[in-house]
């Protein structure tokens, strides 16, 4: 799997914010009181459940921001599939710093690996079909860029990042614009030539108007798999078809087998359980 | 239930960050293209699953920051237990603004209500026992203050907010300080008179040293319910006992019935599924 | 012309930064020393040269942030074509506040109207052709979103906003990827289904590979108008053709008449002279 | 030419803002997709037109912030006069990083060198006179400190940086204060002993009052060169005389030859065309 | 006394920072627990010691930022001389909000009024002389603009605000530049025409070189009053003379009587005791 | 004395803010004009009065942020008791950088060492008693974390850091809650198990209710030493007793000898005079 490089500011800003949240003004009063400033330790971060890793850069940034003297060796990179007990990072350096950054590092790692693991579960379930699993804008506030990246680590793809980078015409837009045809026309006359346009339909009889209107992508919202299959047949590959609604590990295979191109899931970002990871001193 | 007032900056900063994340530089290009600037709408946010509400202030801030002309009526306050279909907010105002803020508002509301709902599930499970359910530092990076508040909305209490506001002595601190007695002594000699001290033990034979050392709270980490019961008997209410480890809706009742004072759960903040909420135009 | 709504944070942040830059720590020491706090004035902002207006929101924000008591009436909205002497804004309120915000307001208005005016000059020059004029990433650092908006005010369209919202494969990417075909394949296998792909070519013999590779847009870089015409003929409307390089008010018509779909210009953002605007007390 | 050292935060903040603007949340999706993470390149930034260089620190900061592994050699320092084709920087390092930072670096370099080049044109035109060319507060919002520095690189000087560091009494201040004499008196009684006072006049008969009132500098606003000459004669070097209004490369020599001390130009900051610079891989 | 208007961002930013510092993530847990959300109160802020008031805007901003529903009446404006017991502000509104903002408001008011009171003590001591009392850059980090303003409230004036707005040549600069004459020449050739130049001397025999070099102000550093008198005599009002060093309420009169123009004191900003102020519910 | 480690962001943010305040947009115009960029110097920061040092990290950060090439050797660590003339830091590096950072570094060092010195004066005065000296929330806005740390350097302890980390029930809370008993009950039912509760009383007859209500700490506000002694007798060590009000170097011994556990002083943070420190080139 080929992963993009996260922009440094995305990682650094999120980690700095989390460290301020955890250290506050008084800092790590427990470690300061009980551990000598000169003490050093070796520690390992390991998986306590199987899963897919995401967030390596955030872990490194957390320790580095707290104390640049901490040495970090990455044992399992982003996208790695790991088993319970697998080592993920080896650390060595000032004990206080390791303990002060521990919780922030683990919170990022567990959360993002949770997203990657949930994504991978859907991706695995649609193996051998052509369907791509994509994440949505139903992300945790403040963490969208990192969660989008975590979905890639799990083998998924990204839908648009925000309201700003692609057009998605939903029912209320259609109603306000006076129908599918006029909504698509309005969108295409307003946007630049580098922006894609998707439109959401929930009935098969809307499909031809959407294709004719020049939609790059058509979202089949909460349709039955029967209807999705029909949509695929009608479409004849003229445009990209995306399915959404009631996408779970149990349902996703049947959706993929309808022949849709893309399946979008909010669950992988807004409800993925954290992957259990822990740090132990050696 | 009596809820605290969130400091304005906690809400405003988190919402502003999320709106920047969703609107980016180009803004809501779909609504701008398809909806006239002068169009107004009425809309309702409703629960699509039963749950406990948290995050009302974030919803109001999201719409207000996008367009102060949007009028918001709160139909279900923080802490309210709602059923599928219950209205939560009524909105009226510029259509573009409502649609531009919708996703950010729902992301906060779903996430925080998810935390409240998960907390309430544990709280309900220990009803009639004296055990308090508390959340931990295993929170989503950047959202700790809001998640801590959501746990209160679900009927829980808060453990410490960060490394800065209370002492929690764990195994590595004990090892570095040379034992339970010296770790507690070191902590108490360093901190101020307004700071509580908790120490974590994982064996019953550590209990007397922890009590003798003057711990305000003792964490029984991953102990069996048998051992917890013994700890309660030994303690004779001399100090506060907290249980943690493997706390689920299924296990929590048995833990509470051991007589511990506090049960802490990371799950309610790091892995609670989002509560399904949606916005519909009227 | 239908203009989008600028996200409030884009305007507010840019104006706040500019006001801090101009007021510093000591504030407007001249007005504070020479004008009574209670003095009020009426003033008009007018065009001193003909042009196209952009930046109305920034002007309003500048006065409002300095003193919310200043009343502002907008006489010429974004996109308005104005003549020398035309009134643009009428102001009434505390004299100190009007004078303290004046320069920041005029700097935004002049700069953004300059971009709009330059854009309009190109747009006018290609009237009746199908070519769209678009702005590029060659923008003034820190002002991209506002300049992109100003280009819309001048009748242009926007190319991508940044590196993040569309793929643009240039010569170095092609070289690194091993050719046009493999570069396009690499891009399409990595990105999401909502992202468009453009590729830059500088020779006609690259055109078929670019089309075959599935490029949504092909940039004809610094080609002669002869070659552009041939490209249009070869393309047969299979993909979108964009021309760039040496685009001036003098050359743009000939470029448009080749039949290309889009003409991109860095000059309208990086080198447009400021529109002369001034404020006078009444 | 002796140039000041820019405060680190001035450079770092402006560059960080510009990089966030260009990289957004998703980063450089083109380079990430088409260029291996391990690829390295050598590149040169060169002038594509003759001009005067400014902004070397911003270029270095852009590459360093994106990837500290990029090595940069500066071939032409701030203030250097370069010809078309002259190399300005040599770069070596990760290809992705070089391409991701390229546009931001060039936008700063082109913009600031444009200011320096425009300034130098005026400075050259007044060679051998005693007149200094100074820039004003008519700067691009958010870039004032950098543009003020660029003016120095072009051989100019700086007028005040903002409303905060010097007094400039204009017509509206004079009117509010009740005349030149009382305006100057009000200013001098309010400000500290380290602040200079300038007053703007547009008629010769105001000159004596301005001198008598103790103005450190008198601005001759939009006067004819005839009147300026008279002002110089009347002044007898008692105070500093500054000319402004209609200052262009064509008019500036005649203005300088009137004997004024200072000539201020808004054009060099608000309307200087960008200097054409480009980056090529070797 | 005529006071300048503080730039809104100076007040708002400092107050926002202080409120975050005091409220943290959990907010005012005491008021939230013990006071009903609906409770309202009336309160008065009064002086508990005589002094001079400064910081009215910060007090208003603190209450407004915490809860805009709090009504504030200002009873004693900036610069007012008050006695023990004098009411300064009357407040009415939500009890929780008043108590949550109380300490931040009083910390600003006490600190800034302390600066004003200390300044006034020096100003009073030099009454009827021509000497101005000015504050220096020896200010509390992060509060310079507010302390500079407080010095004005106490009847003082401001020396330069920072390293950026005026030249002050000290011994190390003189040494590096090769003497007084060359240091002044270097400064005057580098800076703009709106910047004043001060040079520090500590021996009378340096005075003529400093005057001849064109210094706008000469600082007599730690000189005896005898030497200061001589300096005044030698100067013959050719330039402004400033005294510094060992300036106390006891010594300042004698220094002023030497005839110097300006006396600068670090003590009024770095060591002024806080004015005792308190808030009582009615 | 064992001192905690300040969280890096506490130091870095405060120093960055102070440097921006001092350098502004134009930077150190004096050093830039008079000192060659290549000049290097050696310098020493020394105490000019006896005192206790605090703020070493802020000094190092100031020089490092201005120019990382400056080498710093710490001669006297935080908490060190120094005499007039004692060297505190040795510096070597670029002369411009040393001079540009000098004032900010000294402002922090003088201010924080002033707090440490004042604290130490109280601590010394109560030597051999059991009373701890603690600082309050009466701190300088924006510097609380640093001043709390400085109090530790002086041998004191910290009271709560803000409204968020401990409960302090004062007269207005008691009144709103309906009495001491109900106020304590309300607090204890609302807060988490890791938060301590203090209540303020000003009459001896309130003491039993406060103890019975379960207060962790009782503040004896402005009581006579006679009453304090009685309170100590009545308390019989059941809870922690804190004295406040009229705490000076002269009164503090008598207060301590009443047997109270803690004595809190606002004076050590809000009114401590700056310790005189200076930098000299060698």
């Amino acid at each position: 799997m080929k992963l993009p490089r996260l922009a440094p500011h995305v990682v650094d800003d999120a980690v700095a914010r989390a460290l301020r949240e955890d250290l506050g003004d008084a800092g790590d009063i427990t470690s300061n009181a009980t551990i000598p400033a000169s003490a050093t330790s070796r520690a390992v971060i390991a998986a306590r459940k199987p899963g897919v890793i995401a967030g390596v850069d955030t872990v490194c940034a957390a320790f580095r921001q707290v104390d640049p003297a901490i040495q970090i060796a990455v044992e399992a990179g982003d996208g790695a599939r790991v088993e319970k007990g697998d080592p993920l990072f080896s650390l060595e350096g000032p004990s206080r710093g390791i303990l002060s950054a521990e919780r922030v590092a683990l919170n990022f790692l567990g959360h993002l690996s949770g997203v990657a693991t949930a994504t991978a579960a859907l991706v695995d379930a649609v193996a051998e079909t052509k369907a791509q699993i994509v994440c949505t804008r139903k992300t945790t506030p403040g963490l969208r860029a990192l969660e989008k990246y975590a979905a890639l680590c799990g083998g998924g793809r990204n839908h648009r990042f925000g309201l700003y980078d692609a057009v998605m015409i939903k029912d209320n837009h259609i109603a306000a614009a006076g129908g599918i045809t006029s909504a698509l026309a309005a969108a295409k006359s307003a946007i630049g030539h580098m922006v894609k346009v998707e439109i959401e339909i929930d009935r098969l009889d809307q499909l031809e108007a959407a294709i004719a209107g020049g939609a790059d992508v058509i979202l089949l919202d909460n349709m039955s798999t029967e209807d999705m299959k029909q949509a695929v047949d009608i479409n004849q590959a003229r445009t990209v078809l995306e399915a959404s609604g009631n996408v779970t590990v149990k349902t996703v295979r049947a959706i993929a087998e309808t022949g849709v191109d893309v399946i979008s899931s909010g669950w992988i970002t807004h409800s993925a359980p954290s992957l259990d990871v822990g740090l132990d001193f050696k």
Side-chain angles (χ1 to χ4, degrees), chain A:
Chain A
M1 180 177 27
K2 181 171 188 174
L3 290 168
R5 178 169 183 258
L6 279 163
H9 66 88
V10 168
V11 173
D12 291 343
D13 292 359
V15 170
R17 194 182 310 133
L19 285 172
R20 277 161 172 74
E21 192 178 60
D22 202 28
L23 288 165
D25 268 5
D28 181 356
I29 57 177
T30 307
S31 297
N32 284 334
T34 59
I35 299 181
S38 59
T40 61
S41 302
R42 296 171 59 197
V44 168
I45 297 177
R48 293 183 173 163
K49 289 280 170 61
V52 180
I53 297 304
V56 163
D57 282 358
T58 57
V59 170
C60 296
F63 290 104
R64 187 184 61 234
Q65 287 188 16
V66 166
D67 193 336
I70 300 171
Q71 301 297 315
I72 311 174
V74 178
E75 311 285 354
D78 285 332
R81 299 198 168 214
V82 299
E83 296 304 316
K84 177 174 174 177
D86 280 0
L88 308 178
F89 299 86
S90 297
L91 306 166
E92 184 161 4
S95 309
R96 280 187 182 177
I98 292 175
L99 288 168
S100 296
E102 171 188 0
R103 178 47 41 213
V104 165
L106 296 181
N107 284 351
F108 273 108
L109 183 62
H111 181 76
L112 297 175
S113 299
V115 171
T117 303
T119 305
L122 294 189
V123 169
D124 289 354
V126 303
E128 319 285 306
T129 72
K130 71 167 177 178
Q132 291 183 347
I133 302 298
V134 304
C135 58
T136 66
R137 288 169 48 241
K138 297 182 177 178
T139 53
T140 313
L143 296 178
R144 184 171 291 168
L146 291 170
E147 291 182 347
K148 291 271 179 189
Y149 173 80
L152 300 180
C153 295
R157 296 285 184 89
N158 292 154
H159 207 296
R160 61 177 177 163
F161 267 65
L163 293 165
Y164 57 86
D165 61 338
V167 168
M168 164 69 94
I169 302 173
K170 298 191 180 178
D171 51 357
N172 293 314
H173 302 108
I174 293 172
I180 287 175
T181 304
S182 53
L184 282 167
K188 293 176 91 73
S189 80
I191 58 170
H193 66 300
M194 294 302 287
V195 177
K196 283 202 176 175
V197 175
E198 180 166 9
I199 191 162
E200 177 184 299
I201 65 174
D202 51 14
R203 297 190 325 269
L204 280 178
D205 61 12
Q206 298 170 304
L207 186 59
E208 279 299 346
I211 297 173
D216 295 295
V217 183
I218 296 174
L219 180 68
L220 311 175
D221 187 42
N222 270 313
M223 284 192 184
S224 66
T225 51
E226 284 312 300
D227 280 1
M228 290 189 210
K229 269 182 211 159
Q230 279 202 51
V232 170
D233 286 346
I234 296 167
N235 182 45
Q236 295 286 337
R238 286 178 290 172
T239 187
V240 172
L241 295 182
E242 174 182 339
S244 80
N246 189 27
V247 176
T248 69
V249 175
K250 288 182 182 165
T251 63
V252 72
R253 178 90 204 170
I255 297 171
E257 289 177 347
T258 64
V260 294
D261 305 283
V262 174
I263 302 172
S264 54
S265 161
W267 170 77
I268 58 177
T269 47
H270 67 52
S271 295
S274 180
L275 181 68
D276 196 359
V277 289
L279 178 149
D280 290 295
F281 273 42
K282 293 285 122 184

